[in-house]
Structures are given as C-alpha cells and as structure tokens.
Amino acid sequence: MLGVARRVCAAGQAAVTIMSKQPVSTSSYAMVKAIEELEKNPYFGKYAGKIAKFQKESPEEFLEKFAKNKEVKQSEPGGHSFTKVAEKGKEVVPKSAYSFAPQKKLESILKTDLLQGKTNQEVAYIWTEHFRQKDAVCGVISSDTYDKQYEVSMKYSCFVLPLPRDKGYEFIILQFAGHEVHFTSLVNYQAYKENAPECLTLVHYPDLKEERGIVFMHGEYNKDILNAFEAQFLVNQLQLYYGGGDKERTALLEKFHHSPGQFKHMELVEHLEKLDLSVLSNKSDKEQQ
C-alpha cells in the first residue's frame, strides 16, 4: 500500500501550495529569520508597510524573494521527504491516559482579561501574533464550525490523511482525544501503535465559546518531520473531513470505521487531487463575517 503512495504527484504538491493560503495561520522561525534579514537593510523603514502587506498576502512569494539561507528555504512546501521510523516510541502510558487528561486552559497561554473590550477580529490578531515567532499553527474558529467538528470527531475519533512529499504521498494518522488532535506518521504508528511519536499536536480551547462564539486553536509540530506549510495542510484537511459539509468525505470516514476492508487509501489521494478549493474559500468568507 505504501509503495503505491510513493508516486510523484504534481497535483498534490499544488494542493499544499494553495491550501497553505487558507485562514489557518502558520508562524515559523524561518519567516522570522527572513524578516530579520530585511530589517538589516537601511531602506527597510521606508518600505516596511508594503513589505508587511506582501508578507501577509503572499507568504510563499515573500520567502522565495527574501529568504537567503537553507534554514529559511526548508519552511517552504516540499521541504521534507518521507518520515523515517523513529528509533524509539513515546514513553508507554495507559491507553486511557488521553481520556482522563485535564483540558488545557486558554489562560495558560493568554491572559484573557486583556481581551476585554476587544472585537473578535482584534482577538484573532492577538492570538496569531502570540505565535508569530514560534514553530506553530494557530487559528480562531467559529463556535458553530467547532461544534460540528467536535460532533463528527465523537463518531469518528481517528482517520488517515495523505500528505504530499517530494516523491509521492505519505499517510498521517490522526487521533482525537477530547479537544486535542494527535498526528503521527503511518510508518511510526505501525512500529509503535499508540506510543508512536507525534509529528503534530493540535489543542482547541473552548473557554470563550459561549461568551464570544469562537474557539482558539494552536498546534506544535516536529520540524524534523513537517514544515509550516505541511502542518497547515494537515489542519486544513482535518477541517474538510470533519466539517460535516462534504458527503463524500463523510462517507470515507464511515467506511474507515465501519467497513475497513473496503477502505482504500488511494481514494483519499483522489479526493485531494480533485479538491474543490471553493469549499475552503467559502468557509473562510463565513469565518471572517
């Protein structure tokens, strides 16, 4: 099965590039280093406004134009090849550990009293700025969107997603645990099962869901396995499958859980290659209203 997935696919790489422009934000050391290099330019102050706009609207072109070293370039799409099996798994924990783990609190990251009197748009800006200099993905999701995602995750707690690599596709396993989502490469899951090392961990914070109608999200990823664009790409795919708005993707979730013998990994690849990006753009428009 894995051998089939290792075919070169330009369509998949293109999907990573386009989906990386969706509303889930990524911040990486690479981007910060590029900005630091620019700030050394004596003309930076004069053109800072235009440069900031360019960075926000076209992050990939920004890195292509201003990144100077390998460390920065590695944060672009296609920065990693296939994951190698880890030398060891995580420390063995009881299978019920995730179920009984306490929900992480928003206050542990952000002083919520500082948000008083601010609009949701301002709050979202504060949230993304908090992670700007960190290797992380982050976002602010409407409560309706998150409620639907959470409802679907209660029915289908795990799934597999295709990730385009430089020489084909690699499959990533995701596992919901309350308000968290844990991602690990299939090769490591096959080797270590529930103790496989994670490549991305998402945490959702519903603390202000009732008050503001939004849910905060952030995720940390392993830079040796994923770059910023790839991490963002996985989050975007999760939202497509668990958003509940696509009958074909929901059918794949159903098949994965209840008819595994009929489930074919390459169906995921086919859906990726014929991805209708208007699904994401429409969702983005609604989130920003």
Side-chain angles (χ1 to χ4, degrees):
M1 187 71 71
L2 288 175
V4 177
R6 296 190 179 212
R7 61 190 180 88
V8 177
C9 180
Q13 291 290 354
V16 173
T17 300
I18 298 172
M19 288 179 74
S20 68
K21 298 179 180 179
Q22 296 307 316
V24 174
S25 300
T26 58
S27 52
S28 69
Y29 181 70
M31 182 69 80
V32 174
K33 291 296 290 185
I35 295 172
E36 287 178 349
E37 289 296 322
L38 272 174
E39 289 176 341
K40 296 176 183 178
N41 189 308
Y43 297 99
F44 177 78
K46 182 177 180 180
Y47 298 102
K50 292 182 178 179
I51 292 173
K53 183 179 179 181
F54 181 37
Q55 177 203 354
K56 181 178 180 181
E57 295 179 350
S58 304
E60 290 175 72
E61 293 180 40
F62 176 89
L63 279 175
E64 179 64 33
K65 188 174 182 65
F66 297 113
K68 301 297 182 183
N69 54 48
K70 180 180 179 182
E71 185 174 32
V72 173
K73 289 291 185 180
Q74 196 176 34
S75 190
E76 296 179 344
H80 288 284
S81 56
F82 288 96
T83 304
K84 297 179 180 179
V85 177
E87 294 183 2
K88 61 179 181 179
K90 297 188 301 182
E91 181 179 351
V92 178
V93 296
K95 292 184 177 180
S96 60
Y98 287 143
S99 301
F100 295 97
Q103 165 64 29
K104 292 181 174 63
K105 297 296 183 182
L106 181 62
E107 189 71 26
S108 65
I109 296 180
L110 196 65
K111 296 292 185 182
T112 55
D113 57 345
L114 298 179
L115 305 180
Q116 295 296 325
K118 298 188 182 299
T119 65
N120 282 355
Q121 186 174 8
E122 291 171 328
V123 168
Y125 175 79
I126 292 172
W127 182 249
T128 54
E129 279 296 294
H130 179 80
F131 293 100
R132 188 174 74 86
Q133 298 189 39
K134 302 176 182 178
D135 292 296
V137 292
C138 63
V140 177
I141 310 167
S142 74
S143 58
D144 289 343
T145 297
Y146 183 69
D147 284 345
K148 187 60 181 179
Q149 176 181 300
Y150 188 78
E151 178 186 345
V152 176
S153 74
M154 290 295 98
K155 294 175 63 178
Y156 311 113
S157 62
C158 61
F159 197 53
V160 60
L161 298 173
L163 177 65
R165 293 298 205 181
D166 56 352
K167 295 182 180 180
Y169 287 96
E170 178 173 6
F171 289 102
I172 306 295
I173 298 288
L174 68 84
Q175 173 74 51
F176 280 86
H179 296 290
E180 299 182 12
V181 193
H182 303 266
F183 296 76
T184 186
S185 64
L186 180 59
V187 292
N188 276 319
Y189 182 80
Q190 289 171 331
Y192 300 106
K193 302 302 179 184
E194 65 271 13
N195 297 311
E198 295 167 12
C199 59
L200 170 64
T201 302
L202 291 183
V203 181
H204 296 90
Y205 300 88
D207 306 51
L208 302 180
K209 187 163 75 78
E210 300 302 324
E211 176 184 341
R212 286 184 171 271
I214 56 176
V215 173
F216 296 80
M217 178 275 289
H218 101 279
E220 298 179 356
Y221 57 90
N222 184 334
K223 291 190 298 181
D224 294 330
I225 300 177
L226 302 174
N227 62 34
F229 291 99
E230 291 165 337
Q232 180 179 345
F233 181 72
L234 289 173
V235 177
N236 287 141
Q237 279 203 86
L238 178 149
Q239 293 173 340
L240 284 175
Y241 277 96
Y242 284 83
D246 188 307
K247 292 182 179 179
E248 290 187 3
R249 286 186 172 82
T250 300
L252 285 175
L253 288 171
E254 175 78 19
K255 187 185 295 185
F256 182 81
H257 279 261
H258 300 296
S259 303
Q262 300 176 25
F263 182 82
K264 298 178 180 179
H265 288 71
M266 293 311 294
E267 288 187 73
L268 302 172
V269 175
E270 292 169 4
H271 274 275
L272 181 59
E273 293 182 355
K274 65 179 183 180
L275 178 65
D276 180 4
L277 293 169
S278 65
V279 175
L280 280 174
S281 60
N282 290 338
K283 183 178 291 187
S284 173
D285 293 339
K286 292 178 181 179
E287 295 282 346
Q288 295 175 9
Q289 289 178 354

